[in-house]
Amino acid sequence: MDDVSKLMRRHTYVTKTSTSFIYGILVSIAVNFFWTPGHIYSSGITGLAQLLNTISSRALPFTVSTGLGLFLLNIPLFLVAWRGIGREFTIFTIITVFLSSFMIQLLKPVPLTHDPIICAIFGGAVNGFGTGTALKNGISTGGLDILGLVIRDKTGKSIGSINIAFNALIVVAAGFAYGWPYALYSVIGLIVNAKVMDMTYTKQQRMQVMIITNRPNTVIDSVQNHLRRGITIVHNAEGAYQHDAKTILFTVISRYEMGELEEALLESDPNAFASISDSVKILGRFYEPKP
């Protein structure tokens, strides 16, 4: 059993390291092939590193490259993650940020086009896919992700307002650096980045599930064997067509768990009726795996 556990952990480590490498390549393509030629700023710490590169090249006797700036700006956040989240999480975050910084340095800017709209859209799409893939495989790309996890863990609150304020600062900086049209192009890039990331990383998307069945105990056991989710039972429901006894089950899952839910229902009651809708807001406890 110990050998199996070690093998699974080793497989997890290899998967995470490979994903870190893939993310490093994708973010370097976004920065060097699209954002830099198009004068587009990214969100978060990557955008701040771009801003530092612009300021240093114009006002200082030396230039801080985007890759180097990205790693240096993340160092204080590594310390926060080490103390507030955990060693394994921090180690993989350091690996991911280091590979990202290294690949940004290694791949020199290749201007496929200087059109700012194309650069904003494709840069945002490439980076969003990379970030979503990283998060999907349980690794952090550093930056504000770390603050978000620490604050959520300590207070239960998100840092949505901090993210908005930080990215607004980046957009304003883009306006001052390259002109206000480029600030708007950067906003387009931020929106595309967020949309593609949401399409790729689905664990944060909540869905309300209503299941109507005449085999409630079997369905509950099957669902809870596949998923770690609470279920609310509504007894004494009645079907309008045949007036047979039914039970209604309510639960909330993430979109990432849809496949497991479908498998659980097929195993327990193939005739069950399930209605699934997007859940806009959740109040109360909702289990999320530790990073």
Side-chain angles (χ1 to χ4, degrees), residues 121-173:
I121 292 173
F122 281 89
V126 171
N127 186 73
F129 178 74
T131 304
T133 301
L135 294 172
K136 190 174 182 179
N137 285 276
I139 59 175
S140 167
T141 58
L144 298 182
D145 292 348
I146 295 173
L147 285 180
L149 287 170
V150 171
I151 292 175
R152 188 186 66 188
D153 188 53
K154 300 294 184 183
T155 66
K157 299 179 180 178
S158 69
I159 60 165
S161 57
I162 296 177
N163 269 300
I164 292 172
F166 195 91
N167 290 330
L169 174 66
I170 299 298
V171 169
V172 171

Side-chain angles (χ1 to χ4, degrees), residues 56-222:
S56 63
S57 64
R58 294 182 180 182
L60 299 177
F62 58 89
T63 300
V64 179
S65 66
T66 301
L68 178 61
L70 177 63
F71 190 81
L72 293 177
L73 291 169
N74 270 285
I75 290 176
L77 298 172
F78 294 153
L79 300 176
V80 172
W82 188 272
R83 294 181 178 180
I85 301 177
R87 294 183 179 183
E88 183 176 314
F89 174 88
T90 306
I91 290 170
F92 279 109
T93 302
I94 292 172
I95 292 171
T96 304
V97 174
F98 172 77
L99 288 173
S100 303
S101 303
F102 177 74
M103 295 304 296
I104 290 172
Q105 286 289 104
L106 184 65
L107 293 180
K108 300 302 179 183
V110 179
L112 300 177
T113 176
H114 292 282
D115 187 305
I117 295 180
I118 293 176
C119 289
I121 292 173
F122 281 89
V126 171
N127 186 73
F129 178 74
T131 304
T133 301
L135 294 172
K136 190 174 182 179
N137 285 276
I139 59 175
S140 167
T141 58
L144 298 182
D145 292 348
I146 295 173
L147 285 180
L149 287 170
V150 171
I151 292 175
R152 188 186 66 188
D153 188 53
K154 300 294 184 183
T155 66
K157 299 179 180 178
S158 69
I159 60 165
S161 57
I162 296 177
N163 269 300
I164 292 172
F166 195 91
N167 290 330
L169 174 66
I170 299 298
V171 169
V172 171
F176 279 110
Y178 299 115
W180 294 109
Y182 287 93
L184 301 179
Y185 297 142
S186 293
V187 171
I188 293 173
L190 296 179
I191 294 171
V192 172
N193 180 82
K195 290 296 183 182
V196 174
M197 186 173 68
D198 283 343
M199 290 169 59
T200 309
Y201 176 62
T202 56
K203 287 185 179 179
Q204 86 283 11
Q205 298 175 28
R206 312 294 180 229
M207 308 191 76
Q208 179 176 282
V209 180
M210 179 183 69
I211 303 168
I212 301 174
T213 178
N214 54 11
R215 302 171 61 185
N217 293 332
T218 307
V219 172
I220 291 170
D221 289 343
S222 182

